[in-house]
Amino acid sequence: MSKGPLTDHKLVERALQNSDQAAYTQLMQQYHDALYKIVMERIGNYAEAEDLTMEIFTKAFRKLHTFNPQYAFSTWIYNIAIHHCIDHLKKKKLPEQLLSDTPIICPPVEISPNDILWHNFQMVNIEDLIEKLPFMYQEVFYLRYVKTLKYKQIAKRLNIPLGTVKIKLFRGKAVLTELKKHEQACKN
């Protein structure tokens, strides 16, 4: 009687309890392609994407003890990947920011009046705002305000309805507005 493949949670458990290298290897094999795709979509450079994918695994394995088995391992590691990409892009932009007096974030070419208000509202780097959002809004915000994709492009890339893109942007903006109000109230 042969056992089926181990679940992600069992692999994590084996990796943590026994420092089982085979468990780490199996997790890497299972998630390498998906993580690489996430990184490649955000970075757009094959060599950098491969390096960053390996950095993400290193970071995830160092933080493996923080994984909560009540949730999916895939969600946890994808979240690490997205944040690692955002951090990488911030570091790449830093020299440009130091040499330039122009704002870091420019509005998308085709914008609505709502987007103009939104860009005027934000007084900090967009990546910092994205990190404050719940995970379910982060990717849509990243694609809209960092990659400056149109709503239809975002819907196509994420394979979600156009209405869902609009709702996530609207709700995410509401979350950020509340956070800003809370931060201002704490300052007063």
Side-chain angles (χ1 to χ4, degrees), residues 11 18 25 28-29 37 39 54 77 82 84 86 89 112 118 120 123 126 129 152 159 161 164 178:
L11 289 169
N18 308 328
T25 301
M28 280 184 71
Q29 289 171 343
K37 182 179 177 187
V39 174
M54 296 317 291
I77 199 162
I82 290 168
H84 194 74
I86 291 170
L89 290 171
S112 68
W118 175 244
N120 291 336
M123 300 301 289
I126 191 68
L129 290 174
K152 287 181 183 177
N159 196 26
T164 302
E178 288 302 312

Side-chain angles (χ1 to χ4, degrees), residues 165-176:
V165 171
K166 292 177 181 180
I167 288 169
K168 285 186 175 197
L169 288 168
F170 178 80
R171 290 180 180 166
K173 288 175 187 177
V175 168
L176 290 174

Side-chain angles (χ1 to χ4, degrees), residues 5-177:
L6 293 173
T7 66
D8 291 345
H9 292 167
K10 290 289 184 191
L11 289 169
V12 169
E13 188 178 306
R14 280 182 41 195
L16 287 172
Q17 289 178 351
N18 308 328
S19 296
D20 185 344
Q21 291 302 313
Y24 285 112
T25 301
Q26 192 169 346
L27 285 168
M28 280 184 71
Q29 289 171 343
Q30 286 177 206
Y31 287 97
H32 179 273
D33 292 347
L35 288 182
Y36 180 80
K37 182 179 177 187
I38 288 171
V39 174
M40 190 60 199
E41 286 175 353
R42 284 156 183 78
I43 305 300
N45 177 302
Y46 294 107
E48 267 188 299
E50 187 59 43
D51 290 345
L52 288 172
T53 300
M54 296 317 291
E55 288 175 17
I56 290 163
F57 278 116
T58 301
K59 188 179 212 176
F61 291 156
R62 269 192 260 129
K63 294 182 173 190
L64 199 55
H65 65 281
T66 66
F67 170 67
N68 184 343
Q70 291 180 336
Y71 303 103
F73 180 78
S74 58
T75 303
W76 181 78
I77 199 162
Y78 295 160
N79 194 21
I80 290 172
I82 290 168
H83 283 93
H84 194 74
C85 289
I86 291 170
D87 291 345
H88 176 75
L89 290 171
K90 279 185 194 177
K91 289 175 188 171
K92 280 182 75 170
K93 288 182 180 181
L94 188 60
E96 294 170 22
Q97 293 168 6
L98 294 175
L99 296 173
S100 172
D101 292 336
T102 58
I104 297 167
I105 300 299
C106 299
V109 177
E110 293 181 29
I111 55 175
S112 68
N114 187 33
D115 286 333
I116 292 170
L117 289 173
W118 175 244
H119 281 282
N120 291 336
F121 167 76
Q122 55 190 49
M123 300 301 289
V124 296
N125 191 327
I126 191 68
E127 286 95 347
D128 293 334
L129 290 174
I130 291 171
E131 288 180 5
K132 293 179 181 180
L133 284 170
F135 181 72
M136 69 179 115
Y137 304 130
Q138 289 179 358
E139 190 162 31
V140 172
F141 264 72
Y142 176 82
L143 292 173
R144 178 67 179 155
Y145 295 106
V146 176
K147 293 290 191 178
T148 63
L149 296 182
K150 297 175 187 169
Y151 292 174
K152 287 181 183 177
Q153 292 171 314
I154 296 168
K156 184 177 179 180
R157 181 175 280 188
L158 299 178
N159 196 26
I160 59 176
L162 181 61
T164 302
V165 171
K166 292 177 181 180
I167 288 169
K168 285 186 175 197
L169 288 168
F170 178 80
R171 290 180 180 166
K173 288 175 187 177
V175 168
L176 290 174
T177 300

